[in-house]
Amino acid sequence: LRAKAPASAGRWVVSFPFRDTLRRMDFRSDNTHGCSPEIVEALARAAHGSVSSYGSDPYTDRLRERCRELFERDVDIFPVMTGTAGNALAIASLTPPWGTVFCTPEAHIHRDELGAAEFFSGGCTVIPTDDLASAIPLAAVPACVSATNATESGVVLDPAAVAELSMHRLRVHIDGARFANAVAASGASPADLTWRAGVDVLVFGGTKNGCMGVELIVLFRRELAQELTYRWHRAGHRVSKMRFLSAQFEAYLTDDLWLRNARHANAMAARLAGGLRGVAGVEIVREVQANIVFVRVAPRLRALFANAGYDWPLFGDDVYRLVTGFGTTEGEVDQFLAAIPSS
Amino acid sequence: LRAKAPASAGRWVVSFPFRDTLRRMDFRSDNTHGCSPEIVEALARAAHGSVSSYGSDPYTDRLRERCRELFERDVDIFPVMTGTAGNALAIASLTPPWGTVFCTPEAHIHRDELGAAEFFSGGCTVIPTDDLASAIPLAAVPACVSATNATESGVVLDPAAVAELSMHRLRVHIDGARFANAVAASGASPADLTWRAGVDVLVFGGTKNGCMGVELIVLFRRELAQELTYRWHRAGHRVSKMRFLSAQFEAYLTDDLWLRNARHANAMAARLAGGLRGVAGVEIVREVQANIVFVRVAPRLRALFANAGYDWPLFGDDVYRLVTGFGTTEGEVDQFLAAIPSS
Amino acid sequence: LRAKAPASAGRWVVSFPFRDTLRRMDFRSDNTHGCSPEIVEALARAAHGSVSSYGSDPYTDRLRERCRELFERDVDIFPVMTGTAGNALAIASLTPPWGTVFCTPEAHIHRDELGAAEFFSGGCTVIPTDDLASAIPLAAVPACVSATNATESGVVLDPAAVAELSMHRLRVHIDGARFANAVAASGASPADLTWRAGVDVLVFGGTKNGCMGVELIVLFRRELAQELTYRWHRAGHRVSKMRFLSAQFEAYLTDDLWLRNARHANAMAARLAGGLRGVAGVEIVREVQANIVFVRVAPRLRALFANAGYDWPLFGDDVYRLVTGFGTTEGEVDQFLAAIPSS
Amino acid sequence: LRAKAPASAGRWVVSFPFRDTLRRMDFRSDNTHGCSPEIVEALARAAHGSVSSYGSDPYTDRLRERCRELFERDVDIFPVMTGTAGNALAIASLTPPWGTVFCTPEAHIHRDELGAAEFFSGGCTVIPTDDLASAIPLAAVPACVSATNATESGVVLDPAAVAELSMHRLRVHIDGARFANAVAASGASPADLTWRAGVDVLVFGGTKNGCMGVELIVLFRRELAQELTYRWHRAGHRVSKMRFLSAQFEAYLTDDLWLRNARHANAMAARLAGGLRGVAGVEIVREVQANIVFVRVAPRLRALFANAGYDWPLFGDDVYRLVTGFGTTEGEVDQFLAAIPSS
């Protein structure tokens, strides 16, 4: 979540009306991009005819089958429109209202979702920590570990790292807003990055990686499906014309569109980072493993980077985040690099 | 909400996986239809380029302007994917957690949303009643009247009927899942059916009437906009690529698509009702004003009607609901009428 | 809940500061009385020495044993300070957040607790109805029947009537704010009025019948005990010095204090009703089975009855409620009867 | 909150039934003590006669007047039974559901209340931090600072330290479970420690310091009183026979009972700490300012200290907490000191 706030107050303010125009050299987020043509085509095909609503349709049936192949086991699926919805619904199904959920200090569920997990779960506690082993024993009712992969820092967790999260005998949720980027970068299989490493539920992102707006809750614990169905419905996230979410995700998983898009985004970040390395006044402050580049820049470059990306105070003063996406072109990257004045 | 339940238990059960095929002569609901080609085209046009996320985009700006013209005054807008989301967010902004919300016994918020209003508001009480004047004084903290227009019974409220709802000095919410049908049927202006009649917030439906999936919360009380923005976001209903919701609704309001679709649906219901009148064994049990027809049928016709529509126990045994939509053709109506055996 | 409200608005208003003095001939409620001397003595005895907090104390242990004898089976107990707390905690343990709870239109949980059940359960729906058999099949997720015994109307349910409530295969909660009055009036055993008739949880009232402030959640389903313990604690209802609640209830159950107090209150209501019968301008509008008398009075008597009791619009215009308690004396009753002017 | 938990899992487990006996040399908590005789006497006096319920009684009126004198200004008061209730209700009135509340890592609201603040507020985020200035700007909607005085570490905040908490332009809540100990130790006035230092609401503890069970929410912002009244009632914390809470607190404030008890408890802690200083194998790890002593002990002493107090892993291995109370005698302290074996 990024909204302009008064520097002094730290408050999250939303002003109406918004003003914006189409942008070029836009590395603010992977959600400023449009969508892949395959997604539009799938929606156009799905626009005809009459099918049952609320998920009882052939599109959703086919998507479920496709997921069962991809994850190499039985799964239940719940398409939703946003990552916040997916995360909050998933976490609510993994913790009682009095439970504690552990995440990293930079986790989206902690920083950017305005307490959605607390709201959906009926008041759980979310504790940001970099030290699970110390934090868990201090909690009254430890319930769930929530991790993001690829992380908000642009780091990719491999199967061993995911498995370590599940060593604490708590339930495990993966915020996979950039799961495709993690699979593309790690080369690990979806199964190895999830249930084989102890994950209970994955929110498999589509929106940031070429879809119009769909995230898929992939549930690996069948016994939670009925309850999650109720939560999904009463939260207003079970859309009536579900074919239009399922058709998007089906197209996304067809012919490896999800992986092709993610590989491209990752490659663009690598290209951008490669170009930034050695530029005077630019320091790359996190290893670039997926599609995000964090840089600390000299004062003379701040306006340029502030326009192209977001300032990122969590990682320090003068730090900016640049994100590439499926729609980023080599030309945009090169144009941005060329725009950096040499001292 | 319609899911097959064991007749004896009355429980709402969701079974996985769902089975369905494309249907013909489908009068189950207006959400079994696909979407209008204008909507697909608008989405295709919006798929390109980079814009700000979360509503700071030109599509949403234009939609807001368009709404201000349509409603003849300043409004704030909040696009969401589902009517349940729109209703629950709107109601939560009109009642404190300890308030009472009044609706009709057949209201969607009462029957079909699994307690979404109670959830989003932090535990409000929802009281179904046909007698507002008697019910309101008995409540501890009366807060809000919620009405549907066109109603779930297919009745259209005219401006005077809406104004009567606002006589109780409570806040007023309109569930406008079929608002277009109400405007088309009544001939009243959107302004006359809402804020001029005392309405505080309208959930203006698009999904049932030709969109893929978008409902628009139209807020007539500016002072509630900031809080509603927070609620919208933390409920996971503020989509990042909002252009794809706004573009749908913009197309919906362009060249009167919304009214054309609604008029067609209403006309198909009239055609259907006209054909059913006088058929032996069929009794029309509610006046047909919009796009819904309720009939009580003789035993020999039950299987036919159960297949075409839904049984509707709220209105009595052997009662079925038939809904027409923007996608219903004259041919389908006539084909269905022809399929009714004459004793 | 009774607070003076502007007649026109029906709103529940609380004004500060309150003004009151000690009253005589007070039939407003059984919670305007003080407490029995045995309760004070028990508290005085418990005031000494050091014991574990939060329920791990010998007072609570003894109370649990005493309850097991009284109910003729194993039970778990959770002392709380108020009936609202007891009811809301109990109901929250019997319904999921998306469930529907059924009660009577006059139920305290519906009229007087400001949505406590909705709040504690995470947003359940509470439906007031006099016709369970019709209402249950219409609900999406029927979860729980909540009944009061003796009822808010002063009616006593016998074991057969309670058993009928549990015929619907839903969980059953009894609001026993006046459970003692029901036992005293019916002569049925606590076991026969609860678990043997299918009740899952009873809130056994002490406050209205001679205690200072304690209600006992008596849980007949052991598998819900752990979860209820968490709910109890996080709602702030698990008092640290629990001995002071347990000691009250232990004294209440000792030497039949609870039954003696209830029999007295019931007898005083019978005496009051007996005196009112045949008085010109007074009509008893509900059968008097416990300690509440509802009367419709002629205009000339309204001021007198409004001062002694509460007006009760739920039962019609000019209806007043008179409640007797453990502290009501024959003298007070007779004095009130004598104060009624004979036309 | 202290319940025996399996060492490995860190889970908060409650087992039934509890076992305990009267203890001597009990430094586990100030809530293991009984209550002062003045409290019992006040309750005995209040046990007679009929008064209005829910706070409209002369006891509560007098208590409010007494508080206005004590705090040297107008205040609203809300008696409750537990600190968890007081804290959660107070915080819920200071933050929107989407707000962030900041507290210290050892705060009771964070460690011991099972998410009560999150529950009562409708899902706020509670962030434990020792660095307010850094944490506040990172939160989306900073709302409230919650501090404890005296703290859970036994530290006393003086007016300047409290005023510093209110420098951030957020609302300020004080958990005053040991407020009396803070006043006694600092010598500052109640007004200087609260509203004059920017505090919006205080939960003034009675239970730990000689009452049976009453905490007083003291509200310094009149405009929040109506809403807090609703919250108080629907949470089941507005007891019907409120005279029995108000009478306790009135007696507590009479003839400085609250200060006398607190001074005694503080003196006993000083005596205990004095005796422990210089004992081989015992290290006092926090400055002793109020009635709590934290010590790190050598292995040979662990059983003794584990029996007398609680282990306190938050402050490190082998650390124990010893708490004195109004009921602690010099003899008990000396007896405990004498029981420590000299190597």
Side-chain angles (χ1 to χ4, degrees):
Chain A
L1 178 64
R2 297 296 305 173
K4 290 303 169 195
S8 59
R11 287 177 183 278
W12 185 84
V13 173
V14 180
S15 53
F16 287 89
F18 299 110
R19 298 268 167 262
D20 197 51
T21 55
L22 287 169
R23 301 252 309 239
R24 298 292 312 243
M25 294 195 306
D26 184 350
F27 303 112
R28 291 176 297 169
S29 177
D30 22 20
N31 58 32
T32 62
H33 295 248
C35 78
S36 290
E38 293 89 337
I39 302 297
V40 180
E41 288 158 16
L43 287 171
R45 282 193 304 272
H48 304 286
S50 164
V51 301
S52 288
S53 48
Y54 292 113
S56 304
D57 64 81
Y59 301 86
T60 307
D61 279 351
R62 287 200 306 266
L63 174 60
R64 189 181 301 104
E65 285 311 308
R66 182 69 191 89
C67 287
R68 285 171 179 173
E69 289 164 25
L70 184 68
F71 286 95
E72 308 173 43
R73 55 161 282 175
D74 201 6
V75 297
D76 287 308
I77 58 167
F78 305 83
V80 295
M81 271 291 282
T82 68
T84 295
N87 291 333
L89 287 168
I91 288 171
S93 75
L94 298 183
T95 178
W98 40 86
T100 295
V101 177
F102 301 89
C103 64
T104 63
E106 62 262 31
H108 199 265
I109 66 160
H110 170 54
R111 299 231 154 266
D112 300 308
E113 302 186 356
L114 285 175
E118 289 90 334
F119 171 42
F120 279 63
S121 67
C124 76
T125 299
V126 177
I127 295 292
T129 178
D130 280 320
D131 181 2
L132 275 179
S134 298
I136 291 172
L138 293 174
V141 185
C144 173
V145 172
S146 170
T148 309
N149 196 17
T151 75
E152 292 82 358
S153 305
V155 171
V156 172
L157 307 182
D158 64 14
V162 176
E164 207 166 307
L165 299 170
S166 65
M167 291 298 176
H168 302 280
R169 303 197 302 176
L170 303 180
R171 288 181 164 177
V172 179
H173 155 254
I174 296 291
D175 175 348
R178 296 186 182 98
F179 186 67
N181 302 280
V183 172
S186 70
S189 74
D192 284 348
L193 280 172
T194 57
W195 63 272
R196 283 207 195 104
V199 171
D200 297 295
V201 58
L202 164 73
V203 180
F204 189 166
T207 310
K208 284 183 157 70
N209 190 38
C211 296
M212 274 195 186
V214 57
E215 313 278 303
L216 197 66
I217 302 177
V218 182
L219 178 65
F220 302 112
R221 297 177 73 95
R222 176 131 273 202
E223 72 275 16
L224 302 178
Q226 178 72 41
E227 182 184 304
L228 186 47
T229 303
Y230 288 125
R231 293 190 185 278
W232 182 38
H233 193 106
R234 85 191 290 245
H237 285 294
R238 189 184 185 193
V239 305
S240 59
K241 293 181 174 175
M242 199 172 296
R243 65 169 111 174
F244 293 119
L245 297 190
S246 297
Q248 286 185 64
F249 219 92
E250 193 186 8
Y252 184 60
L253 295 183
T254 298
D255 296 335
D256 280 347
L257 175 62
W258 67 295
L259 281 175
R260 285 184 283 125
N261 278 356
R263 283 179 193 132
H264 175 78
N266 289 358
M268 290 304 99
R271 185 183 189 95
L272 179 60
L276 291 170
R277 269 186 208 100
V279 172
V282 174
E283 175 197 1
I284 296 179
V285 297
R286 286 291 186 286
E287 191 183 349
V288 178
Q289 299 182 349
N291 65 324
I292 313 183
V293 182
F294 291 95
V295 289
R296 177 173 293 110
V297 303
R300 66 179 177 90
L301 300 178
R302 281 177 206 161
L304 180 71
F305 279 78
N307 186 56
Y310 280 134
D311 65 300
W312 212 252
L314 189 64
F315 289 171
D317 288 340
D318 304 326
V319 172
Y320 295 88
R321 186 189 81 163
L322 303 175
V323 183
T324 55
F326 74 94
T328 305
T329 62
E330 294 190 357
E332 270 180 299
V333 172
D334 296 346
Q335 192 181 354
F336 177 71
L337 292 171
I340 304 176
S342 50
S343 82
Chain B
L1 176 66
R2 295 297 304 176
K4 290 303 169 194
S8 59
R11 287 180 182 279
W12 185 82
V13 172
V14 180
S15 55
F16 287 90
F18 299 110
R19 298 270 167 263
D20 197 50
T21 53
L22 288 169
R23 301 252 309 241
R24 298 293 313 245
M25 295 195 304
D26 184 351
F27 303 110
R28 291 176 296 169
S29 177
D30 23 20
N31 59 30
T32 62
H33 295 246
C35 77
S36 289
E38 292 89 336
I39 302 297
V40 180
E41 287 158 17
L43 287 171
R45 283 193 304 272
H48 304 286
S50 165
V51 301
S52 287
S53 48
Y54 291 113
S56 304
D57 63 81
Y59 301 87
T60 307
D61 278 352
R62 286 199 305 265
L63 175 60
R64 189 181 300 103
E65 284 311 307
R66 182 70 191 87
C67 286
R68 286 171 178 173
E69 290 165 24
L70 185 67
F71 286 94
E72 306 172 45
R73 56 161 283 174
D74 202 7
V75 297
D76 286 309
I77 59 167
F78 304 82
V80 295
M81 271 292 281
T82 68
T84 295
N87 291 333
L89 287 167
I91 289 171
S93 75
L94 298 183
T95 178
W98 41 86
T100 295
V101 177
F102 301 89
C103 64
T104 63
E106 62 261 32
H108 199 265
I109 68 160
H110 170 55
R111 300 234 151 263
D112 300 308
E113 302 186 357
L114 284 175
E118 289 90 333
F119 171 42
F120 279 62
S121 67
C124 75
T125 298
V126 177
I127 295 293
T129 178
D130 279 321
D131 181 3
L132 276 178
S134 298
I136 290 173
L138 292 174
V141 185
C144 172
V145 172
S146 170
T148 308
N149 197 15
T151 75
E152 293 82 358
S153 307
V155 171
V156 173
L157 308 181
D158 64 14
V162 177
E164 206 167 310
L165 299 170
S166 64
M167 291 298 176
H168 303 280
R169 302 197 303 175
L170 304 180
R171 289 180 164 177
V172 179
H173 155 254
I174 297 289
D175 174 347
R178 297 187 181 97
F179 186 67
N181 302 280
V183 172
S186 70
S189 75
D192 284 347
L193 280 172
T194 56
W195 64 272
R196 281 206 195 106
V199 171
D200 297 296
V201 57
L202 164 72
V203 180
F204 189 167
T207 310
K208 283 183 158 73
N209 190 37
C211 295
M212 273 194 186
V214 58
E215 312 279 304
L216 196 66
I217 303 176
V218 182
L219 179 65
F220 302 111
R221 296 178 73 94
R222 177 130 272 203
E223 73 275 17
L224 301 178
Q226 178 73 40
E227 182 184 305
L228 186 47
T229 304
Y230 287 125
R231 292 189 185 277
W232 183 39
H233 193 106
R234 86 192 291 244
H237 284 294
R238 189 184 185 193
V239 306
S240 59
K241 293 181 172 175
M242 199 172 297
R243 65 168 109 175
F244 293 121
L245 296 190
S246 298
Q248 287 184 64
F249 219 92
E250 194 187 4
Y252 183 60
L253 295 183
T254 299
D255 296 335
D256 281 347
L257 174 61
W258 66 294
L259 281 176
R260 286 184 281 126
N261 279 353
R263 283 176 194 135
H264 175 79
N266 289 359
M268 290 303 100
R271 185 184 190 96
L272 180 60
L276 291 171
R277 268 185 210 104
V279 173
V282 174
E283 175 197 359
I284 297 179
V285 296
R286 287 290 185 286
E287 192 184 349
V288 178
Q289 299 182 350
N291 65 323
I292 314 183
V293 181
F294 290 95
V295 289
R296 178 173 293 110
V297 303
R300 65 179 178 88
L301 299 177
R302 281 177 206 160
L304 180 72
F305 279 78
N307 186 57
Y310 280 134
D311 64 299
W312 213 253
L314 188 63
F315 289 170
D317 288 341
D318 304 326
V319 172
Y320 295 87
R321 186 188 80 165
L322 304 174
V323 184
T324 55
F326 74 94
T328 304
T329 62
E330 295 189 357
E332 269 179 299
V333 171
D334 296 346
Q335 192 180 356
F336 177 71
L337 292 170
I340 304 176
S342 51
S343 80
Chain C
L1 178 63
R2 297 296 306 173
K4 290 303 169 195
S8 59
R11 286 176 183 279
W12 186 84
V13 172
V14 181
S15 54
F16 286 90
F18 299 110
R19 297 271 166 259
D20 197 51
T21 54
L22 287 169
R23 301 246 316 235
R24 298 291 313 239
M25 296 196 303
D26 184 352
F27 303 111
R28 290 176 296 169
S29 177
D30 22 20
N31 58 32
T32 62
H33 295 246
C35 78
S36 291
E38 293 89 337
I39 302 297
V40 180
E41 287 158 18
L43 287 170
R45 282 193 304 272
H48 304 285
S50 165
V51 301
S52 288
S53 48
Y54 292 112
S56 304
D57 63 81
Y59 302 87
T60 307
D61 278 352
R62 285 199 306 265
L63 175 60
R64 189 181 300 103
E65 285 312 307
R66 182 71 190 88
C67 286
R68 287 171 178 172
E69 290 164 24
L70 185 67
F71 287 94
E72 306 172 46
R73 54 161 284 174
D74 202 7
V75 297
D76 287 308
I77 58 168
F78 304 82
V80 295
M81 272 291 282
T82 68
T84 295
N87 290 334
L89 287 167
I91 288 171
S93 75
L94 299 183
T95 177
W98 40 86
T100 295
V101 177
F102 302 89
C103 63
T104 63
E106 62 262 31
H108 199 264
I109 66 160
H110 170 56
R111 299 235 154 260
D112 300 308
E113 303 187 356
L114 284 175
E118 290 91 334
F119 171 41
F120 279 62
S121 67
C124 75
T125 299
V126 176
I127 295 293
T129 178
D130 280 321
D131 181 2
L132 276 178
S134 298
I136 291 173
L138 293 174
V141 185
C144 173
V145 172
S146 172
T148 308
N149 197 15
T151 75
E152 293 81 359
S153 307
V155 171
V156 173
L157 308 181
D158 64 13
V162 177
E164 208 167 307
L165 299 170
S166 65
M167 290 299 177
H168 302 279
R169 303 197 304 176
L170 304 180
R171 288 181 166 177
V172 179
H173 156 254
I174 297 290
D175 175 347
R178 297 187 181 95
F179 186 67
N181 301 281
V183 172
S186 70
S189 75
D192 285 346
L193 280 173
T194 57
W195 64 271
R196 283 208 194 104
V199 171
D200 297 296
V201 57
L202 164 73
V203 181
F204 189 167
T207 310
K208 284 184 159 71
N209 190 37
C211 295
M212 274 194 186
V214 58
E215 311 280 304
L216 195 68
I217 302 176
V218 182
L219 179 64
F220 302 111
R221 297 179 73 96
R222 177 132 271 205
E223 72 274 17
L224 301 177
Q226 179 72 42
E227 182 184 304
L228 186 47
T229 303
Y230 287 125
R231 293 189 185 277
W232 183 38
H233 194 105
R234 87 192 290 246
H237 285 294
R238 189 184 185 193
V239 306
S240 58
K241 293 181 172 175
M242 199 171 296
R243 65 169 109 176
F244 293 119
L245 297 190
S246 298
Q248 286 185 62
F249 219 92
E250 194 187 4
Y252 183 60
L253 295 183
T254 298
D255 295 337
D256 281 347
L257 175 62
W258 67 294
L259 281 175
R260 285 184 283 126
N261 279 354
R263 283 177 193 135
H264 175 78
N266 290 358
M268 290 303 99
R271 184 183 191 95
L272 179 60
L276 291 170
R277 267 185 210 104
V279 173
V282 175
E283 175 196 359
I284 296 179
V285 297
R286 287 289 185 287
E287 191 183 350
V288 179
Q289 299 181 349
N291 65 324
I292 314 183
V293 181
F294 291 95
V295 290
R296 177 174 294 110
V297 302
R300 66 178 178 91
L301 300 176
R302 281 178 205 160
L304 180 72
F305 280 78
N307 187 56
Y310 281 135
D311 64 298
W312 212 253
L314 188 63
F315 290 170
D317 288 342
D318 305 324
V319 172
Y320 295 87
R321 187 188 79 164
L322 303 174
V323 184
T324 55
F326 73 95
T328 304
T329 62
E330 295 190 356
E332 271 180 298
V333 171
D334 296 346
Q335 192 180 353
F336 177 72
L337 292 170
I340 304 176
S342 51
S343 80
Chain D
L1 177 65
R2 299 294 305 174
K4 290 302 168 193
S8 58
R11 288 178 181 279
W12 186 85
V13 172
V14 179
S15 54
F16 286 90
F18 299 110
R19 298 271 167 262
D20 196 52
T21 54
L22 289 170
R23 301 246 314 233
R24 300 291 312 241
M25 295 196 304
D26 185 350
F27 303 111
R28 291 176 296 170
S29 177
D30 22 20
N31 58 33
T32 63
H33 295 246
C35 78
S36 290
E38 292 90 338
I39 302 296
V40 180
E41 288 158 17
L43 287 171
R45 282 194 303 272
H48 304 286
S50 165
V51 301
S52 287
S53 48
Y54 292 113
S56 304
D57 64 81
Y59 302 86
T60 307
D61 279 352
R62 287 200 306 265
L63 175 60
R64 188 181 301 105
E65 285 311 307
R66 183 69 191 89
C67 286
R68 287 171 178 173
E69 289 165 25
L70 185 67
F71 286 94
E72 307 172 43
R73 55 161 285 175
D74 202 7
V75 297
D76 286 309
I77 58 167
F78 304 83
V80 295
M81 272 290 282
T82 68
T84 294
N87 291 333
L89 287 168
I91 289 171
S93 73
L94 299 183
T95 178
W98 41 86
T100 295
V101 177
F102 301 89
C103 64
T104 63
E106 62 263 29
H108 199 265
I109 66 159
H110 170 55
R111 299 232 154 265
D112 300 308
E113 302 185 356
L114 285 175
E118 289 91 333
F119 171 42
F120 279 62
S121 67
C124 76
T125 299
V126 177
I127 295 293
T129 177
D130 280 321
D131 181 3
L132 276 179
S134 298
I136 291 173
L138 293 174
V141 185
C144 173
V145 173
S146 170
T148 309
N149 196 17
T151 75
E152 292 82 357
S153 305
V155 171
V156 173
L157 308 181
D158 64 13
V162 176
E164 208 166 307
L165 299 170
S166 64
M167 292 297 176
H168 302 280
R169 303 198 302 177
L170 304 180
R171 288 181 164 178
V172 179
H173 155 254
I174 296 291
D175 175 348
R178 297 185 182 98
F179 186 68
N181 301 279
V183 172
S186 69
S189 75
D192 285 347
L193 280 173
T194 56
W195 63 273
R196 283 208 194 103
V199 171
D200 296 297
V201 57
L202 164 73
V203 181
F204 189 167
T207 311
K208 285 184 157 71
N209 190 38
C211 295
M212 274 195 186
V214 58
E215 312 278 304
L216 196 67
I217 303 176
V218 182
L219 179 65
F220 302 112
R221 296 179 73 95
R222 176 131 270 203
E223 73 273 19
L224 302 178
Q226 178 73 41
E227 181 184 306
L228 186 46
T229 303
Y230 287 125
R231 293 189 185 278
W232 183 39
H233 193 106
R234 87 193 289 245
H237 285 295
R238 188 185 187 192
V239 305
S240 58
K241 293 180 172 175
M242 200 172 297
R243 66 169 111 177
F244 293 119
L245 297 190
S246 298
Q248 287 185 64
F249 220 91
E250 193 187 7
Y252 184 60
L253 295 183
T254 299
D255 296 335
D256 281 347
L257 175 62
W258 65 295
L259 282 175
R260 285 184 282 126
N261 278 355
R263 284 178 192 133
H264 175 78
N266 290 358
M268 290 302 99
R271 184 182 190 97
L272 179 60
L276 291 170
R277 268 184 210 104
V279 173
V282 174
E283 175 197 0
I284 295 178
V285 297
R286 287 290 185 288
E287 193 184 349
V288 178
Q289 298 182 349
N291 65 324
I292 313 182
V293 182
F294 291 95
V295 290
R296 177 172 291 110
V297 303
R300 66 179 177 90
L301 300 177
R302 281 177 205 159
L304 180 72
F305 279 78
N307 187 56
Y310 281 135
D311 65 298
W312 213 253
L314 188 63
F315 290 170
D317 288 340
D318 304 325
V319 172
Y320 295 88
R321 186 188 79 163
L322 303 175
V323 184
T324 55
F326 74 95
T328 304
T329 62
E330 294 189 358
E332 270 180 299
V333 171
D334 297 346
Q335 192 181 354
F336 177 70
L337 292 170
I340 304 176
S342 52
S343 83

